[in-house]
Amino acid sequence: MPNAAPIRSEAPQARSAPDLPRGAQAGTPEGIEALIAAMTLEEKAGQLTIMPAALAPSLANAANPEAISGTPSQQEQAVREGRLGGVFNGDSADWHRRMQHVAVHESRLGIPLLFAADVIHGFRTIFPVPLAEAAAFDPELARRTARAAAEEATAVGLAWNFAPMVDVSRDARWGRGVEGAGEDVLLGSLLAAARVEGFQGARLDDADAMLATPKHLAAYGAAAGGLDYAGADVSERTLREVYFPPFQSAFGAGALSTMAAFNDVAGVPCHANSWLMKDVLRGEWDFEGFVVSDYTGDFELIAHGLAEDERDAARLAFAGGVDMSMSSALYARFLPDLVRAGEVDEAEVDASVRRVLKLKAALGLFEDPFNRLAPARTEKGHAPTHRELAREAARKSLVLLKNEGGLLPLARSAKIALIGPFAAGHDHLNGPWVLFGDPRQATSVEDGLRAAMADPQALTVAAGCAAEAEIAGGIDEAVSAARAADVVVLVVGEGERMSGEAQSRLDIGLPEPQRALVEAVRAVGKPTVLILKCGRAMTLDPASEASKALLVAWFLGVETGGALADVLFGDHAPSGRLPVSFPRHVAQSPFHYDRKITGRPPLSLQHGEEFKARYRESLNLSAWPFGHGLTYGDVAYADLDAGAGRMAWDGSLEVAATITNRGAREAEELVQLYIHDRAASVTRPIRQLKGFKRVTLAPGASERVAFTLTRADLTFVGPDLTWIAEPGRFTVWIAPSAETGVEGEFELLKP
Ligand code: NOJ
């Protein structure tokens, strides 16, 4: 941020702090109170300030707009003078040790520093992007990858993670859906809790525990027009039903920090939104942790048109409930003076400082500030099992949309033309939010496939074009490769910088040079597998859609090539499901399966009915629905049974269906349970996911899969904005996706 000055010393510091507890004693409740009593206003503001690490890898520096945080020695001096409570996105254990030494031994009060970072989906070992991992519909997998990430990250001293991102995202134009769990509230809530548990581990004061930060509070994904940073004009009902539950779930799992969102909600920027940060977060949810600004979100209150100037921005953000300021240095510069001028109550500042110090104590930093930084941990490197876990996670993230004529799995002996801008090389494998992983560690698609083929020379590779540009002669080369092959594997989609922060898109299809490539290769007429790399739902042009097999491969991380080979050659069946609906056209955005039914729903799937909720060009349906994904088996659903069709008010209801694998290969099926409330005091979604179960079926095998529903599954935010259930009739589906399945009905009886 151009206007942010390095934090300067603005007031003389007291030279000594006699009789203060040090070390573990300082982290006790009494010790924390003694510290607060001894702190100058500048030292208090320092504890409420975090700056970008002066020593950080280049990718970390590039992840945010520039903020002037000074040189390493200037930052050391700021720590020595008690003007800085933490730094983020550094990865040098040596420098972290040096900084911690200065904080603990050379500053007046000896308060340890907090080292934070964006460890979104892996630290050195990069796992699939969170959206991809959501496709596995496997909270335990998400917990395990988060745990592995924390084990690696804490070994360089990091104790606080700016993750998980738990923003529900329902608009494919918005680029940051790649960091979250997709469009569904239930899946998002389960994954939010699992990731918090993974990052934080068994106890926060363990050497490998990282404090989690569910972010961004709130409704960041509801940005108008899918434009990153735009306002979210959502109703309180939608906040409570859709955007809040993943946060509540994350806090329920023990997360003790959160980050304000850049956007405004119904006109009030989150960074100055005391209803959100105080009334709801602390008042209703009893949140005891602390709130950090999202980068210069406090300073941005000026651009929002809320604050007059920087001082006013600091005042408004603090009054809004933001405890700690990141990157802008506004609290360090203005909070002391705001207190002296009577515009901010010092008791409120003390409360924020107390929250931060309590968390530092909970992380074990007072007890042993170097716990995470023990040289033995750094030197050990990361476990080889993390690479195996990355392969498992990548494999489980793959979603097979279509497999005409059983083209997949491929024979290992097939002569393959591997075509597309992402066919070879190490770029575009990890995804947009990787600050600490080395892209060269990732296995390319080419290397993964060659290693699994009977004759590695039977693979020909042609890029055809770059992600967003033509290559001279590229299409000709690709066409010749296709002509000479038995089968074409096209790897197309988004480059890794086409999704992520500030990467909103107007067109969610393939960039034009790739469309031309796909068309030219299709004209050759060879059976084609299209692998789609993306950080969002995309729309497919007719030539891409006409491929015999379609596999969504997102950004898979270090084991991209190996995982793709595992599935393409049939060592493992694909098992992922879409965590976001793929719309037919970008103009349907925001498009999600649990939209409202409207007063004039189309009566049939015939297009062209007048005076119905449809577009002139298409019904408002998906191209590929939420929850969809094939395996190599052939699965059928039958015989839904909702028991007597009645649920007592305090009772439960078992709903079951028979799932059969009619195919010749084993099937791994994700069986989903959906409901629809037929008449309620507020309109209800077409369907809502209420559960899912994974079953493995041998060829020819059948299994009865049952779910238990209770009244809690039928609640919604009623007319008075509280959660209620209402007696009445419900439709229920057991289904392989949000637009299919076997259907029944039941009634919730009056109390
Ligand atoms: C801005 C992003 O919105 C946020 O998610 C991230 O944690 C911060 N930058 C710090 O890198």
Side-chain angles (χ1 to χ4, degrees), residues 63-64 88-89 118 162 176 179 215-216 220 259 262 294-295 326 433 435 501:
N64 286 294
F88 70 96
N89 283 350
D118 291 282
F162 297 154
R176 296 197 75 172
E179 295 170 51
K215 65 184 187 184
H216 309 79
Y220 185 29
M259 190 184 285
F262 283 131
D294 187 354
Y295 208 68
M326 184 202 297
W433 232 146
L435 310 185
E501 186 173 345

Side-chain angles (χ1 to χ4, degrees), residues 421-431 438-445 467 491 494-497 533 555 557 560:
F422 314 116
H426 299 273
D427 296 333
H428 307 292
L429 303 179
N430 281 345
D438 177 356
R440 288 164 307 183
Q441 297 297 315
T443 314
S444 68
V445 182
V491 195
E494 295 189 307
E496 70 181 353
R497 301 275 156 204
K533 293 187 57 57
F555 297 104
T560 298

